Amino acid sequence: MNHSDSKPVALTGDRPTGPLHLGHYVGSLRNRLALQETHRQFIMIADLQALTDNIDRREKIEQNIRQVLLDYLAVGIDPNKTTIFLQSAVPQLAELAFHFLNFVTVARLERNPTVKEEIRQKGFARDIPAGFLTYPVSQAADILAFNADVVPVGNDQLAMIEQTNEIVRRVNACAQQAVFRECTALVGSQGRLPGIDGQAKMSKSLNNTIDLRSGNQDISRAVQKMFTDPNHLRVSDPGRTEGNVVFDYLAVFDPDQTGLAELAQQYRRGGIGDSMVKGRLNSILQTLLEPIRNRREILESNPKELVSILEKGNIKARKVADHTLSQFKAALHIGHF
Ligand code: TRP
């Protein structure tokens, strides 16, 4: 066993349905940057999961695979430390998911709160693609194929981790041996970043995001549009900082939290205008996103390098997943005769 094998394993993924945004950055990308120093990390571009509700929009998925890869590399995910791979390039994951379906009931799938909420949002009613209803099982295969100890995700993914661990217990009970071990979710310490409109979640479909690739003007415009306190009309009025998106963001991104606490106090008393706090946030976000955008531009100019990074990752991932799949089948005597 070499040194890297003794490190705990981290695995996570994103559906390539759109560019990654500040919500991803706060909720999980920052954790991944730290984990690549301490863990054996795998990051998967979940194109098959994205197809479960986008089979007629394959072009969108195709284009976003490259965008998400660029987002990873631009924020500093290092392919020498982290294995980045494409879900569809590792067919062992699909086979493992197929076996796992025997360890889950339809009733349990219908109870998953994240999937339930998505079904409501997408207006599927009873016309749910079976692939969509079962994607948490496929996600369990993604996680368990790599024997992940930790899964850095946003808090909307906690339900998936719970369902994964149920599958672990069922498989182990059925095989009467410890085929898999349970995993732990690692949610960003800041929790969830609200959308610029004040809705609880930053999401592409709600059109309230700040993307990591945003230009100067996109950032300023988004900050301008941010929801503050609708009753804070004049500078002299006392303002609410609670439920005020600008202050929510400052709490996450402002490096000077002491200065921020004073500013918030003054804002609540009255005498501080929205334009002043927005200016402060704007310059903080510009400083954060500029180097990310610059790295992205350099990477974009070398498409061959991008392809090679992903292909190398795919090869490594297939090897690991293949090993796990064989062990699983051996433990359950599947395919023996
Ligand atoms: N469900 C995740 C998302 O919505 C993507 C994903 C797929 C994932 N497989 C995973 C996340 C495994 C963590 C672990 O973006």
Side-chain angles (χ1 to χ4, degrees), residues 11-15 44 46 49 135 139 142-143 151 153 157:
L11 175 126
T12 188
D14 300 279
R15 296 179 200 176
M44 182 184 80
Q49 187 175 114
Y135 89 72
Q139 186 157 338
D142 305 333
I143 295 168
V151 186
V153 284
Q157 296 293 304

Side-chain angles (χ1 to χ4, degrees), residues 228-241 244 247 263-278:
T228 57
D229 171 3
N231 296 318
H232 184 235
L233 299 174
R234 268 168 269 122
V235 172
S236 56
D237 290 341
R240 278 171 61 92
T241 51
N244 182 321
F247 279 96
L263 180 71
Q265 221 174 39
Q266 286 171 5
Y267 186 91
R268 284 190 288 264
R269 274 203 303 265
I272 301 279
D274 278 359
S275 62
M276 190 253 161
V277 278
K278 283 185 169 176

Side-chain angles (χ1 to χ4, degrees), residues 36 43 45 71 84 89 105 131 155 160 162 173 181 187 234 270-271 333:
Q36 70 181 354
I43 300 184
I45 303 178
D71 285 327
I84 304 173
T105 66
N155 50 10
M160 307 303 165
E162 201 179 307
R181 57 176 181 270
V187 178
R234 268 168 269 122
H333 295 269

Side-chain angles (χ1 to χ4, degrees), residues 166-223:
E166 277 175 38
I167 292 174
V168 169
R169 293 192 288 271
R170 291 202 169 178
V171 169
N172 289 352
C174 184
Q176 294 182 297
Q177 56 176 287
V179 183
F180 294 118
R181 57 176 181 270
E182 294 189 33
C183 62
T184 314
L186 191 68
V187 178
S189 57
Q190 307 280 0
R192 177 180 281 188
L193 195 68
I196 62 168
D197 56 358
Q199 293 208 59
K201 192 178 173 184
M202 182 177 268
S203 149
K204 172 117 193 111
S205 52
L206 299 172
N207 197 22
N208 63 5
T209 66
I210 298 179
D211 295 342
L212 295 175
R213 64 176 178 198
S214 302
N216 280 345
Q217 292 211 339
D218 304 319
I219 299 168
S220 319
R221 234 177 278 137
V223 173

